[in-house]
Amino acid sequence: MTAPARAKTSSRLALAACAALAAAMTIACGADFYEIPIETPIQPKLDVTAFQRVFVAGFVSGGTEDVDANQETVRLLRSQLRTKSQLKVIDADILPLIDVAQEQAKPAGDDAGPSAQSPMPLPARIKDEKDLEQYERLFANTAYWKKIGEEFESPLIVTGTVLFTPHSRAGMVTREQEVIDAYGRHRVVPIRTYMERKGFILVPKFVFIDGRSGSQMYSERHREEILYNAAQNTPALSSYFELMDRIVPDFLSALSSQKIRGTRVLLK
Amino acid sequence: MKARLATLLIFVAASASPAWADARSDAKAQVDFGINVAQKGLWREAIYRWQKAIDIDPTYAAAFNDLAIGYEHEGQLQKARDMYEKALQLDPNNAQIKQNYELFKEINDRTSSGKDKQ
Protein backbone atom coordinates (compact mmCIF):
# COMPACT_ATOMS: atom_id res chain seq x y z
CA MET A 1 0.00 0.00 0.00
CA THR A 2 1.33 3.44 -0.87
CA ALA A 3 1.69 6.23 1.68
CA PRO A 4 -1.19 8.45 0.38
CA ALA A 5 -3.54 5.46 0.30
CA ARG A 6 -2.63 4.59 3.91
CA ALA A 7 -3.26 8.19 5.03
CA LYS A 8 -6.70 8.14 3.30
CA THR A 9 -7.61 4.89 5.08
CA SER A 10 -6.56 6.27 8.47
CA SER A 11 -8.59 9.46 8.06
CA ARG A 12 -11.62 7.37 7.06
CA LEU A 13 -11.12 5.30 10.21
CA ALA A 14 -11.00 8.44 12.35
CA LEU A 15 -14.20 9.74 10.74
CA ALA A 16 -15.92 6.41 11.27
CA ALA A 17 -14.87 6.43 14.94
CA CYS A 18 -16.25 9.94 15.31
CA ALA A 19 -19.55 8.96 13.69
CA ALA A 20 -19.83 5.85 15.88
CA LEU A 21 -19.17 7.88 19.00
CA ALA A 22 -21.72 10.49 18.03
CA ALA A 23 -24.30 7.78 17.28
CA ALA A 24 -23.60 6.06 20.60
CA MET A 25 -23.97 9.36 22.46
CA THR A 26 -27.27 10.14 20.71
CA ILE A 27 -28.67 6.71 21.58
CA ALA A 28 -27.48 7.05 25.17
CA CYS A 29 -28.93 10.53 25.56
CA GLY A 30 -32.25 10.02 23.76
CA ALA A 31 -34.66 12.94 23.50
CA ASP A 32 -33.74 16.09 25.42
CA PHE A 33 -37.28 17.19 26.26
CA TYR A 34 -40.63 15.66 27.13
CA GLU A 35 -44.04 17.24 26.91
CA ILE A 36 -46.05 16.45 30.01
CA PRO A 37 -49.66 17.25 30.93
CA ILE A 38 -50.07 19.04 34.25
CA GLU A 39 -53.00 20.09 36.40
CA THR A 40 -52.36 23.20 38.45
CA PRO A 41 -54.57 23.37 41.55
CA ILE A 42 -55.66 26.90 42.30
CA GLN A 43 -56.74 27.73 45.81
CA PRO A 44 -59.95 29.75 46.16
CA LYS A 45 -59.39 33.48 46.58
CA LEU A 46 -61.95 33.59 49.39
CA ASP A 47 -62.24 31.50 52.52
CA VAL A 48 -65.88 30.44 52.41
CA THR A 49 -65.62 27.64 54.96
CA ALA A 50 -67.86 29.63 57.33
CA PHE A 51 -70.74 29.46 54.84
CA GLN A 52 -72.95 26.60 53.83
CA ARG A 53 -75.24 28.59 51.60
CA VAL A 54 -74.83 31.17 48.88
CA PHE A 55 -77.40 33.73 47.75
CA VAL A 56 -76.87 35.31 44.34
CA ALA A 57 -79.00 38.31 45.17
CA GLY A 58 -79.05 40.31 41.95
CA PHE A 59 -77.07 42.87 40.01
CA VAL A 60 -77.37 46.52 39.16
CA SER A 61 -77.35 46.22 35.40
CA GLY A 62 -77.32 48.51 32.41
CA GLY A 63 -76.44 48.91 28.75
CA THR A 64 -78.45 47.31 25.99
CA GLU A 65 -82.10 46.55 26.58
CA ASP A 66 -81.90 43.44 24.39
CA VAL A 67 -80.65 41.39 27.34
CA ASP A 68 -81.82 41.54 30.95
CA ALA A 69 -78.27 41.33 32.30
CA ASN A 70 -79.47 41.19 35.92
CA GLN A 71 -81.72 38.18 35.42
CA GLU A 72 -79.38 36.34 33.04
CA THR A 73 -76.35 36.82 35.30
CA VAL A 74 -78.21 35.59 38.38
CA ARG A 75 -79.51 32.52 36.51
CA LEU A 76 -76.12 31.68 35.06
CA LEU A 77 -74.19 32.08 38.32
CA ARG A 78 -76.73 30.11 40.33
CA SER A 79 -76.59 27.21 37.88
CA GLN A 80 -72.76 27.26 37.83
CA LEU A 81 -72.55 27.36 41.63
CA ARG A 82 -75.02 24.49 41.91
CA THR A 83 -72.73 22.18 39.93
CA LYS A 84 -69.27 23.56 40.65
CA SER A 85 -69.23 24.55 44.30
CA GLN A 86 -69.89 22.91 47.64
CA LEU A 87 -72.28 25.65 48.71
CA LYS A 88 -76.05 25.22 48.68
CA VAL A 89 -77.59 27.72 46.32
CA ILE A 90 -80.59 29.65 47.67
CA ASP A 91 -83.41 29.89 45.16
CA ALA A 92 -85.18 33.12 45.94
CA ASP A 93 -86.57 36.07 44.02
CA ILE A 94 -83.97 38.29 42.43
CA LEU A 95 -83.63 41.58 44.31
CA PRO A 96 -84.59 44.71 42.29
CA LEU A 97 -81.34 46.44 43.26
CA ILE A 98 -81.81 49.52 41.09
CA ASP A 99 -85.08 50.27 42.90
CA VAL A 100 -83.48 49.50 46.26
CA ALA A 101 -80.57 51.86 45.56
CA GLN A 102 -82.91 54.62 44.39
CA GLU A 103 -85.03 54.21 47.50
CA GLN A 104 -81.92 54.43 49.68
CA ALA A 105 -80.77 57.54 47.83
CA LYS A 106 -83.93 59.48 48.71
CA PRO A 107 -83.48 62.04 51.50
CA ALA A 108 -84.51 60.55 54.86
CA GLY A 109 -87.45 62.04 56.86
CA ASP A 110 -90.18 64.48 55.95
CA ASP A 111 -88.36 67.48 57.39
CA ALA A 112 -85.61 67.25 54.86
CA GLY A 113 -86.00 70.49 53.01
CA PRO A 114 -84.16 71.65 49.92
CA SER A 115 -81.22 72.73 52.09
CA ALA A 116 -80.88 69.27 53.66
CA GLN A 117 -77.81 67.38 52.48
CA SER A 118 -79.02 64.64 50.15
CA PRO A 119 -76.90 62.38 47.96
CA MET A 120 -76.89 62.96 44.20
CA PRO A 121 -79.92 61.41 42.48
CA LEU A 122 -79.15 58.13 40.77
CA PRO A 123 -79.62 57.88 37.01
CA ALA A 124 -82.83 56.01 36.22
CA ARG A 125 -81.37 54.42 33.12
CA ILE A 126 -77.81 53.07 33.22
CA LYS A 127 -76.04 53.65 29.93
CA ASP A 128 -72.35 53.56 30.82
CA GLU A 129 -69.81 52.89 33.58
CA LYS A 130 -70.17 56.43 34.93
CA ASP A 131 -73.90 55.86 35.58
CA LEU A 132 -73.11 52.54 37.20
CA GLU A 133 -70.48 54.00 39.53
CA GLN A 134 -73.11 55.99 41.35
CA TYR A 135 -74.80 52.79 42.44
CA GLU A 136 -71.64 51.50 44.14
CA ARG A 137 -72.66 52.92 47.51
CA LEU A 138 -75.42 50.31 47.70
CA PHE A 139 -72.77 47.62 48.28
CA ALA A 140 -71.30 49.55 51.20
CA ASN A 141 -74.65 49.68 53.01
CA THR A 142 -73.87 47.03 55.64
CA ALA A 143 -77.21 47.48 57.45
CA TYR A 144 -79.14 46.60 54.29
CA TRP A 145 -77.02 43.53 53.49
CA LYS A 146 -77.09 42.37 57.11
CA LYS A 147 -80.88 42.49 56.96
CA ILE A 148 -80.86 40.45 53.75
CA GLY A 149 -78.44 38.02 55.40
CA GLU A 150 -80.74 37.56 58.40
CA GLU A 151 -83.62 36.81 56.04
CA PHE A 152 -81.68 33.94 54.44
CA GLU A 153 -79.87 32.55 57.50
CA SER A 154 -76.54 34.33 57.02
CA PRO A 155 -75.39 33.08 53.64
CA LEU A 156 -72.55 34.31 51.49
CA ILE A 157 -74.16 37.00 49.32
CA VAL A 158 -73.08 37.51 45.71
CA THR A 159 -74.09 40.77 44.07
CA GLY A 160 -72.51 43.54 41.99
CA THR A 161 -72.94 45.37 38.72
CA VAL A 162 -73.19 44.24 35.10
CA LEU A 163 -72.83 46.50 32.11
CA PHE A 164 -73.51 44.97 28.69
CA THR A 165 -73.20 47.49 25.90
CA PRO A 166 -73.14 47.36 22.10
CA HIS A 167 -69.89 48.36 20.52
CA SER A 168 -68.58 48.90 17.00
CA ARG A 169 -65.19 49.53 15.51
CA ALA A 170 -63.90 50.18 12.01
CA GLY A 171 -60.34 49.94 10.78
CA MET A 172 -57.70 47.80 9.12
CA VAL A 173 -57.64 44.16 10.19
CA THR A 174 -55.52 41.19 9.18
CA ARG A 175 -57.40 38.16 8.03
CA GLU A 176 -56.48 34.99 6.18
CA GLN A 177 -57.64 34.43 2.63
CA GLU A 178 -57.35 31.34 0.47
CA VAL A 179 -55.79 32.00 -2.95
CA ILE A 180 -55.00 29.76 -5.92
CA ASP A 181 -51.53 30.35 -7.37
CA ALA A 182 -50.37 30.03 -11.00
CA TYR A 183 -49.85 26.27 -10.54
CA GLY A 184 -53.41 25.75 -9.26
CA ARG A 185 -52.29 25.23 -5.64
CA HIS A 186 -54.43 26.47 -2.75
CA ARG A 187 -52.60 28.73 -0.35
CA VAL A 188 -53.68 30.76 2.68
CA VAL A 189 -52.22 34.24 2.81
CA PRO A 190 -52.73 37.03 5.35
CA ILE A 191 -54.30 40.16 3.90
CA ARG A 192 -55.00 43.55 5.43
CA THR A 193 -58.47 44.90 4.77
CA TYR A 194 -60.67 47.67 6.02
CA MET A 195 -63.49 46.21 8.05
CA GLU A 196 -66.48 47.43 9.96
CA ARG A 197 -67.17 45.29 12.98
CA LYS A 198 -69.75 45.33 15.70
CA GLY A 199 -70.21 43.43 18.90
CA PHE A 200 -70.54 43.87 22.63
CA ILE A 201 -68.57 44.74 25.75
CA LEU A 202 -69.38 43.00 29.02
CA VAL A 203 -68.15 44.56 32.28
CA PRO A 204 -69.31 42.67 35.37
CA LYS A 205 -68.19 43.46 38.90
CA PHE A 206 -68.80 40.70 41.42
CA VAL A 207 -69.17 41.75 45.05
CA PHE A 208 -69.02 39.10 47.78
CA ILE A 209 -70.76 40.08 51.03
CA ASP A 210 -70.68 38.33 54.39
CA GLY A 211 -74.37 37.75 55.19
CA ARG A 212 -73.61 37.66 58.94
CA SER A 213 -72.23 41.18 59.13
CA GLY A 214 -73.32 42.75 55.86
CA SER A 215 -69.76 43.78 55.08
CA GLN A 216 -67.94 43.36 51.80
CA MET A 217 -65.43 40.50 51.75
CA TYR A 218 -64.04 40.79 48.26
CA SER A 219 -64.83 42.18 44.83
CA GLU A 220 -63.47 41.69 41.36
CA ARG A 221 -64.11 43.44 38.08
CA HIS A 222 -63.79 41.90 34.62
CA ARG A 223 -63.97 43.27 31.10
CA GLU A 224 -64.46 41.23 27.96
CA GLU A 225 -65.37 42.29 24.46
CA ILE A 226 -66.28 40.59 21.22
CA LEU A 227 -66.49 41.90 17.67
CA TYR A 228 -68.07 40.33 14.61
CA ASN A 229 -68.15 41.27 10.95
CA ALA A 230 -70.81 43.99 10.62
CA ALA A 231 -72.72 41.85 8.10
CA GLN A 232 -73.04 39.04 10.65
CA ASN A 233 -76.18 39.26 12.74
CA THR A 234 -75.33 37.74 16.12
CA PRO A 235 -78.08 37.94 18.77
CA ALA A 236 -77.15 39.94 21.86
CA LEU A 237 -77.97 37.02 24.16
CA SER A 238 -75.50 34.71 22.32
CA SER A 239 -72.77 37.31 22.68
CA TYR A 240 -73.61 37.72 26.36
CA PHE A 241 -73.14 33.97 26.98
CA GLU A 242 -70.00 33.85 24.86
CA LEU A 243 -68.45 36.60 26.98
CA MET A 244 -69.68 35.17 30.29
CA ASP A 245 -68.11 31.82 29.35
CA ARG A 246 -64.72 33.52 29.52
CA ILE A 247 -65.45 35.12 32.90
CA VAL A 248 -67.21 32.33 34.81
CA PRO A 249 -64.02 30.26 35.57
CA ASP A 250 -62.51 33.31 37.27
CA PHE A 251 -65.71 33.91 39.22
CA LEU A 252 -65.78 30.28 40.39
CA SER A 253 -62.13 30.36 41.39
CA ALA A 254 -63.04 32.97 44.01
CA LEU A 255 -65.17 30.41 45.83
CA SER A 256 -63.86 26.95 45.11
CA SER A 257 -60.56 25.36 44.22
CA GLN A 258 -60.06 24.78 40.52
CA LYS A 259 -57.68 22.65 38.51
CA ILE A 260 -56.25 24.24 35.41
CA ARG A 261 -55.04 21.78 32.79
CA GLY A 262 -52.05 22.50 30.56
CA THR A 263 -48.84 21.07 29.18
CA ARG A 264 -45.25 21.90 30.00
CA VAL A 265 -41.88 20.78 28.66
CA LEU A 266 -39.57 18.84 30.96
CA LEU A 267 -35.92 19.17 30.02
CA LYS A 268 -32.94 16.85 30.44
CA MET B 1 0.15 5.39 13.29
CA LYS B 2 -1.85 8.52 12.54
CA ALA B 3 -5.10 6.57 12.64
CA ARG B 4 -4.25 5.15 16.05
CA LEU B 5 -3.39 8.61 17.29
CA ALA B 6 -6.65 10.07 16.00
CA THR B 7 -8.72 7.30 17.60
CA LEU B 8 -6.83 7.68 20.87
CA LEU B 9 -7.43 11.44 20.86
CA ILE B 10 -11.17 10.94 20.32
CA PHE B 11 -11.46 8.50 23.20
CA VAL B 12 -9.37 10.69 25.46
CA ALA B 13 -11.59 13.66 24.65
CA ALA B 14 -14.74 11.62 25.22
CA SER B 15 -13.68 10.08 28.48
CA ALA B 16 -11.93 13.12 29.95
CA SER B 17 -14.30 14.32 32.71
CA PRO B 18 -13.45 17.28 34.84
CA ALA B 19 -15.08 17.67 38.24
CA TRP B 20 -18.01 19.77 36.95
CA ALA B 21 -18.84 17.14 34.38
CA ASP B 22 -19.09 14.55 37.17
CA ALA B 23 -21.47 16.78 39.10
CA ARG B 24 -23.50 17.40 35.97
CA SER B 25 -23.74 13.71 35.14
CA ASP B 26 -24.85 12.88 38.70
CA ALA B 27 -27.41 15.68 38.53
CA LYS B 28 -28.51 14.51 35.09
CA ALA B 29 -29.15 11.02 36.47
CA GLN B 30 -31.44 12.57 39.11
CA VAL B 31 -33.21 14.67 36.47
CA ASP B 32 -33.74 11.64 34.23
CA PHE B 33 -35.15 9.64 37.13
CA GLY B 34 -37.41 12.58 38.03
CA ILE B 35 -38.76 12.77 34.48
CA ASN B 36 -39.38 9.05 34.50
CA VAL B 37 -41.42 9.10 37.70
CA ALA B 38 -43.25 12.33 36.77
CA GLN B 39 -44.45 10.59 33.61
CA LYS B 40 -45.92 7.91 35.88
CA GLY B 41 -47.68 10.57 37.97
CA LEU B 42 -45.32 10.35 40.97
CA TRP B 43 -44.78 14.09 41.20
CA ARG B 44 -43.54 14.24 44.82
CA GLU B 45 -40.79 11.77 44.07
CA ALA B 46 -39.96 13.74 40.92
CA ILE B 47 -39.71 16.97 42.94
CA TYR B 48 -37.38 15.24 45.41
CA ARG B 49 -35.14 14.09 42.54
CA TRP B 50 -35.04 17.48 40.82
CA GLN B 51 -34.30 19.19 44.13
CA LYS B 52 -31.43 16.75 44.59
CA ALA B 53 -30.20 17.56 41.08
CA ILE B 54 -29.98 21.28 41.80
CA ASP B 55 -28.26 20.58 45.13
CA ILE B 56 -25.61 18.63 43.21
CA ASP B 57 -25.33 21.11 40.36
CA PRO B 58 -26.76 24.57 41.08
CA THR B 59 -26.01 25.70 37.52
CA TYR B 60 -28.26 23.13 35.85
CA ALA B 61 -31.04 25.20 34.23
CA ALA B 62 -33.06 22.19 33.05
CA ALA B 63 -33.31 20.87 36.63
CA PHE B 64 -34.67 24.24 37.82
CA ASN B 65 -37.18 24.21 34.94
CA ASP B 66 -38.37 20.70 35.84
CA LEU B 67 -38.59 21.56 39.53
CA ALA B 68 -40.69 24.62 38.63
CA ILE B 69 -43.09 22.39 36.70
CA GLY B 70 -43.27 20.01 39.67
CA TYR B 71 -44.13 22.85 42.05
CA GLU B 72 -46.66 24.19 39.59
CA HIS B 73 -48.36 20.80 39.46
CA GLU B 74 -48.46 20.75 43.27
CA GLY B 75 -49.99 24.24 43.39
CA GLN B 76 -46.92 25.78 45.07
CA LEU B 77 -46.97 28.75 42.77
CA GLN B 78 -44.48 31.05 44.49
CA LYS B 79 -41.86 28.30 44.57
CA ALA B 80 -42.61 27.52 40.91
CA ARG B 81 -42.08 31.17 39.97
CA ASP B 82 -38.75 31.28 41.84
CA MET B 83 -37.54 28.14 40.07
CA TYR B 84 -38.57 29.38 36.60
CA GLU B 85 -36.80 32.66 37.24
CA LYS B 86 -33.64 30.85 38.35
CA ALA B 87 -33.80 28.60 35.27
CA LEU B 88 -34.09 31.63 33.00
CA GLN B 89 -31.29 33.39 34.83
CA LEU B 90 -29.05 30.41 34.09
CA ASP B 91 -30.22 29.92 30.51
CA PRO B 92 -31.89 33.14 29.34
CA ASN B 93 -32.20 32.09 25.70
CA ASN B 94 -33.87 28.74 26.26
CA ALA B 95 -37.13 28.93 24.31
CA GLN B 96 -38.73 26.00 26.12
CA ILE B 97 -38.10 27.43 29.58
CA LYS B 98 -39.42 30.78 28.36
CA GLN B 99 -42.56 29.12 26.98
CA ASN B 100 -43.17 27.19 30.23
CA TYR B 101 -42.76 30.39 32.23
CA GLU B 102 -45.13 32.34 29.99
CA LEU B 103 -47.81 29.65 30.38
CA PHE B 104 -47.26 29.61 34.13
CA LYS B 105 -47.57 33.39 34.35
CA GLU B 106 -50.77 33.33 32.32
CA ILE B 107 -52.42 31.05 34.91
CA ASN B 108 -50.92 32.85 37.86
CA ASP B 109 -51.90 36.30 36.65
CA ARG B 110 -55.39 35.15 35.75
CA THR B 111 -56.06 33.76 39.18
CA SER B 112 -54.30 36.13 41.52
CA SER B 113 -53.89 39.59 40.05
CA GLY B 114 -55.21 42.00 37.50
CA LYS B 115 -58.46 42.32 39.38
CA ASP B 116 -59.39 45.01 41.87
CA LYS B 117 -59.22 42.81 44.94
CA GLN B 118 -60.32 44.12 48.31
Side-chain angles (χ1 to χ4, degrees):
Chain A
M1 204 182 270
T2 60
R6 205 181 298 146
K8 220 175 187 179
T9 313
S10 63
S11 68
R12 271 186 196 154
L13 269 171
L15 272 175
C18 273
L21 190 68
M25 282 175 78
T26 309
I27 291 165
C29 295
D32 280 341
F33 61 89
Y34 298 87
E35 236 182 54
I36 193 157
I38 66 162
E39 279 187 350
T40 309
I42 303 294
Q43 293 306 310
K45 295 168 208 161
L46 267 177
D47 179 11
V48 293
T49 48
F51 303 98
Q52 274 146 20
R53 294 143 60 88
V54 58
F55 176 43
V56 184
F59 292 85
V60 175
S61 65
T64 178
E65 285 178 346
D66 294 346
V67 172
D68 183 343
N70 176 25
Q71 195 164 328
E72 295 300 343
T73 307
V74 169
R75 272 171 36 185
L76 179 67
L77 297 187
R78 283 183 184 177
S79 85
Q80 289 289 320
L81 287 167
R82 241 176 242 121
T83 54
K84 290 173 184 150
S85 86
Q86 303 291 318
L87 296 164
K88 188 179 181 304
V89 178
I90 297 170
D91 266 317
D93 290 343
I94 299 168
L95 302 179
L97 292 181
I98 293 181
D99 299 343
V100 172
Q102 282 176 346
E103 193 63 36
Q104 287 179 6
K106 282 182 188 166
D110 295 334
D111 56 337
S115 61
Q117 274 199 337
S118 62
M120 265 182 40
L122 295 169
R125 184 163 147 34
I126 298 162
K127 298 182 293 295
D128 51 33
E129 288 188 61
K130 211 174 162 194
D131 293 340
L132 211 49
E133 256 172 40
Q134 297 178 52
Y135 282 84
E136 290 281 334
R137 54 182 179 243
L138 169 67
F139 309 114
N141 187 342
T142 49
Y144 172 74
W145 292 110
K146 193 175 176 195
K147 199 172 134 262
I148 297 289
E150 280 164 3
E151 221 173 285
F152 294 100
E153 296 170 34
S154 308
L156 169 69
I157 300 169
V158 179
T159 179
T161 58
V162 182
L163 188 68
F164 184 57
T165 46
H167 166 60
S168 61
R169 194 184 291 163
M172 299 301 285
V173 290
T174 305
R175 62 188 182 92
E176 292 187 331
Q177 193 177 36
E178 196 176 351
V179 292
I180 302 169
D181 66 15
Y183 303 100
R185 292 175 301 198
H186 288 255
R187 285 194 309 132
V188 175
V189 290
I191 54 159
R192 299 263 304 156
T193 50
Y194 178 82
M195 211 176 191
E196 281 178 13
R197 294 181 298 164
K198 59 179 189 177
F200 292 91
I201 299 175
L202 180 62
V203 186
K205 180 180 177 182
F206 302 116
V207 178
F208 297 85
I209 292 172
D210 185 335
R212 298 167 300 182
S213 63
S215 60
Q216 253 190 66
M217 297 169 72
Y218 173 75
S219 74
E220 60 181 33
R221 184 179 175 277
H222 301 263
R223 187 185 190 281
E224 289 288 344
E225 67 171 78
I226 196 161
L227 285 166
Y228 311 96
N229 187 332
Q232 197 177 325
N233 197 11
T234 308
L237 193 58
S238 303
S239 298
Y240 167 83
F241 281 108
E242 211 172 327
L243 294 170
M244 274 306 271
D245 260 3
R246 299 181 196 166
I247 294 166
V248 162
D250 276 354
F251 165 78
L252 290 172
S253 72
L255 302 174
S256 52
S257 58
Q258 305 279 306
K259 278 197 170 178
I260 298 177
R261 291 201 179 110
T263 50
R264 299 287 181 274
V265 179
L266 292 170
L267 302 174
K268 272 196 171 184
Chain B
M1 184 62 190
K2 273 184 185 169
R4 275 189 201 157
L5 193 64
T7 314
L8 188 69
L9 276 173
I10 289 162
F11 278 103
V12 166
S15 59
S17 50
W20 65 265
D22 278 347
R24 176 55 58 94
S25 68
D26 288 350
K28 201 166 167 12
Q30 297 293 334
V31 164
D32 288 355
F33 192 86
I35 291 173
N36 218 335
V37 290
Q39 285 173 321
K40 294 182 174 105
L42 303 168
W43 283 93
R44 290 216 177 138
E45 178 63 22
I47 287 172
Y48 172 74
R49 295 291 164 181
W50 294 327
Q51 182 63 59
K52 226 171 158 182
I54 62 169
D55 290 343
I56 297 167
D57 183 356
T59 64
Y60 194 2
F64 280 99
N65 169 77
D66 297 354
L67 189 55
I69 295 169
Y71 282 138
E72 203 183 341
H73 188 272
E74 292 297 295
Q76 299 184 46
L77 303 184
Q78 187 52 51
K79 281 186 178 176
R81 180 183 290 274
D82 294 344
M83 294 302 122
Y84 276 129
E85 283 171 2
K86 183 76 187 168
L88 278 172
Q89 199 183 311
L90 292 166
D91 192 358
N93 298 320
N94 190 310
Q96 282 156 329
I97 300 176
K98 272 190 204 167
Q99 187 193 322
N100 285 335
Y101 188 43
E102 286 305 315
L103 290 168
F104 162 78
K105 278 200 295 187
E106 200 185 305
I107 288 181
N108 207 38
D109 295 349
R110 216 175 74 191
T111 53
S112 60
S113 61
K115 316 279 187 304
D116 32 311
K117 274 194 211 170
Q118 286 182 352

